[in-house]
Amino acid sequence: MTDAPLDLHHWIGGKRVAVDRPSERRNPSDLDQVVARLPDAGQAEVDAAVAAARAAFPAWSEASPEARADVLDRAGQILWDRRETVGRLLSREEGKTLAEGIGETGRAARILRYFAGEAVRLHGQALDSVRPGVSVRTRRRAVGVFGLITPWNFPIAIPAWKAAPALAFGNTVVMKPAGPTPATAEALAAILHEAGLPDGVFNLVIGRGRVGQALVDHPDVDGVSFTGSQSVGAGVAAGCAARQARCQLEMGGKNPLVVLDDADLDRAVTVALDGGFFSTGQRCTASSRLIVQDGIHDRFVAALAEKATALRVGHALDPQTQVGPAATDDQMETVHRWIETARDEGGRIVAGGERLSLSPRGWHVPPTLIVDTVPDMGINTNEVFGPVVSVVRVKDYEEAFAVADAGEFGLSSGIVTTSLKLATDFQRRIRAGMTMVNLPTAGVDYHVPFGGTKKSSFGPREQGYAAADFYTWTQTAYVFA
């Protein structure tokens, strides 16, 4: 298996496009290693990709759903068969541990195969009209060309869960992958075309933020699905609204995990460790706020600090590594700034917090646990997006619920308790799109809806059959016979 640098391409109209490559992506675990040399698209490449997608739309949208299903099923099988190779590339490019990289690649394969099935299950309704002799039928139809703007933290799973339903339901796609992780996205593009996807149905344009903006503003792009920050997402929404394009936004979370006095201590620690620190904490569903009741607080903190300190930080490809590096230098520095801010505001660090110097050089951050925080501190209101977890001590369930439900985010939430009554009350009242009982806030299934409330999400849900709400429109037909 070679780890030689890759020369990346755009995919436009079913072809790899030869380009200059002015920049490179280095391995977050080993900064001396170049993973890929990157092109940098401009308006011309976006225009060409959108034109190719527009030209391919009529035939693809009118094709048999079985034909679309077959392509996605083949692509899913190819990706599954190559999950170790593609997973290794993902780990070298993004910094996930090898086990996480292979696992994410396998998840993407399953998403492709799931939506292969959904392609032939797209259904409408047959109803009686209020008028005698008239029948009514609804059907879902493909929308057109979608711009997909994907993040770096799940560089193949999120492209798959955006592209697969778009393609399954007859749409065509122009994807702009995140700047740090285009190689994994190009691997997906190559597999889709190898599986028999017609030219122009899926296009990939690699570049900086201007590429995403060009997709948002393009008059021939019918909808945009975006995953990223709140600030960028607000601009995407405004751009789409200005020309009445469809818009779907996923914009992160500051997810609470409540631990009550009656919780099983070992279970609570395991849930918090998984949700807070794995995938280097770079998950929008990470359990970054722990809200812990008085009676269990000290024992829980001591046990979690011990487990966090014992986590092995290192090179993503080392099988002993449990926490890989941050994906970028900027992300590492952002995480350290928030750690220092929390310390300055009165937080006490009981695990991690220091700057690491490992060999080979990488963007490593130790799992960090901060206690003695209060709800309005910056560490509890901002998405840090790293292996950093803060703890708020509370007296009782009602205080815990109030702290958990506060803030601008509402993506995921969780509670660890043996009380069915309190678990049920928490799920009923919390303003979060997803909620877990005795489970990490991170870790969701691909066949059910994904999304949040408040400023975490905007527009229809992703994943599962809910994806049809965004990638299709409903036509109602009346017949008198």
Side-chain angles (χ1 to χ4, degrees):
M1 183 179 297
T2 179
D3 287 338
L6 301 174
D7 288 329
L8 302 189
H9 303 76
H10 309 304
W11 281 81
I12 298 175
K15 305 295 188 294
R16 283 187 172 97
V17 178
V19 287
D20 293 330
R21 299 177 182 86
S23 61
E24 59 189 22
R25 171 62 174 171
R26 292 186 175 268
N27 186 335
S29 295
D30 181 354
L31 301 182
D32 293 327
Q33 184 182 83
V34 176
V35 176
R37 291 180 279 263
L38 317 180
D40 187 15
Q43 187 67 49
E45 288 81 8
V46 173
D47 289 343
V50 173
R54 178 61 63 195
F57 174 71
W60 182 246
S61 62
E62 294 167 11
S64 164
E66 193 172 63
R68 298 195 294 269
D70 287 347
V71 171
L72 290 173
D73 187 61
R74 283 194 296 270
Q77 188 60 53
I78 294 169
L79 185 56
W80 179 261
D81 292 342
R82 298 178 191 168
R83 64 191 183 278
E84 292 189 5
T85 301
V86 177
R88 181 182 178 91
L89 172 62
L90 190 160
S91 294
R92 292 176 57 236
E93 184 179 44
E94 194 271 351
K96 276 185 169 68
T97 66
L98 184 58
E100 290 170 335
I102 294 171
E104 181 184 335
T105 304
R107 176 189 176 92
R110 293 185 185 278
I111 290 168
L112 292 172
R113 292 191 294 197
Y114 169 81
F115 279 106
E118 291 301 280
V120 295
R121 280 193 289 266
L122 192 64
H123 58 75
Q125 294 178 298
L127 305 101
D128 290 330
S129 172
V130 297
R131 293 169 288 175
V134 176
S135 62
V136 182
R137 185 170 71 94
T138 68
R139 62 187 290 240
R140 289 183 179 269
R141 300 184 61 179
V143 173
V145 176
F146 278 93
L148 308 181
I149 304 172
T150 62
W152 49 257
N153 63 320
F154 284 91
I156 199 163
I158 292 180
W161 90 40
K162 291 182 187 295
L167 299 174
F169 302 143
N171 302 283
T172 56
V173 164
V174 179
M175 180 177 288
K176 187 266 179 204
T181 54
T184 310
E186 194 189 341
L188 177 63
I191 286 172
L192 286 168
H193 286 90
E194 182 181 342
L197 197 69
D199 292 351
V201 173
F202 180 94
N203 304 272
L204 180 76
V205 184
I206 297 170
R208 290 173 287 180
R210 63 184 180 181
V211 173
Q213 190 63 54
L215 287 173
V216 170
D217 295 338
H218 204 290
D220 284 333
V221 172
D222 299 294
V224 175
S225 180
F226 166 85
T227 298
S229 68
Q230 283 187 349
S231 58
V232 176
V236 172
C240 289
R243 56 184 191 81
Q244 297 180 312
R246 293 189 171 212
C247 184
Q248 179 186 65
L249 309 176
E250 293 297 342
M251 297 172 289
K254 190 66 183 177
N255 309 293
L257 178 68
V258 171
V259 179
L260 296 183
D261 281 349
D262 67 354
D264 178 285
L265 179 62
D266 290 341
R267 182 66 183 172
V269 170
T270 298
V271 166
L273 193 77
D274 182 312
F277 299 118
F278 292 139
S279 294
T280 318
Q282 295 174 152
R283 297 183 284 190
C284 56
T285 52
S287 310
S288 53
R289 285 192 297 150
L290 305 182
I291 301 158
V292 185
Q293 196 173 353
D294 250 338
I296 199 173
H297 178 278
D298 291 351
R299 289 180 293 132
F300 172 80
V301 165
L304 182 58
E306 181 180 1
K307 293 284 189 181
T309 301
L311 290 175
R312 184 183 174 103
V313 180
H315 196 295
L317 300 184
D318 182 341
Q320 301 302 313
T321 293
Q322 295 170 286
V323 177
T328 67
D329 181 37
D330 285 347
Q331 192 59 38
M332 178 185 71
E333 292 302 328
T334 295
V335 172
H336 278 297
R337 281 196 297 273
W338 279 117
I339 291 172
E340 289 306 311
T341 298
R343 197 196 314 261
D344 292 344
E345 292 180 348
R348 179 167 57 91
I349 296 174
V350 295
E354 72 276 15
R355 285 187 175 269
L356 298 177
S357 180
L358 304 182
S359 181
R361 295 180 306 123
W363 296 313
H364 298 284
V365 179
T368 300
L369 183 63
I370 306 172
V371 299
D372 298 344
T373 76
V374 295
D376 61 353
M377 285 171 58
I379 197 70
N380 288 319
T381 58
N382 292 273
E383 188 177 32
V384 176
F385 223 60
V388 178
V389 172
S390 53
V391 180
V392 176
R393 185 195 292 255
V394 294
K395 291 188 176 68
D396 54 28
Y397 169 72
E398 284 302 329
E399 184 184 1
F401 180 85
V403 173
D405 201 39
E408 294 186 337
F409 292 98
L411 182 57
S412 189
S413 63
I415 186 169
V416 187
T417 180
T418 54
S419 168
L420 177 61
K421 176 181 178 181
L422 295 180
T424 301
D425 181 80
F426 184 85
Q427 289 192 303
R428 180 178 62 83
R429 293 167 58 198
I430 194 75
R431 291 177 299 164
M434 297 173 289
T435 183
M436 323 294 188
V437 175
N438 298 325
L439 289 166
T441 59
V444 295
D445 292 352
Y446 55 82
H447 66 300
V448 295
F450 177 97
T453 63
K454 307 183 198 177
K455 291 186 178 180
S456 283
S457 301
F458 180 82
R461 288 289 189 255
E462 296 195 271
Q463 299 205 86
Y465 191 76
D469 292 335
F470 183 61
Y471 291 110
T472 67
W473 59 278
T474 299
Q475 183 179 59
T476 304
Y478 296 84
V479 176
F480 175 76

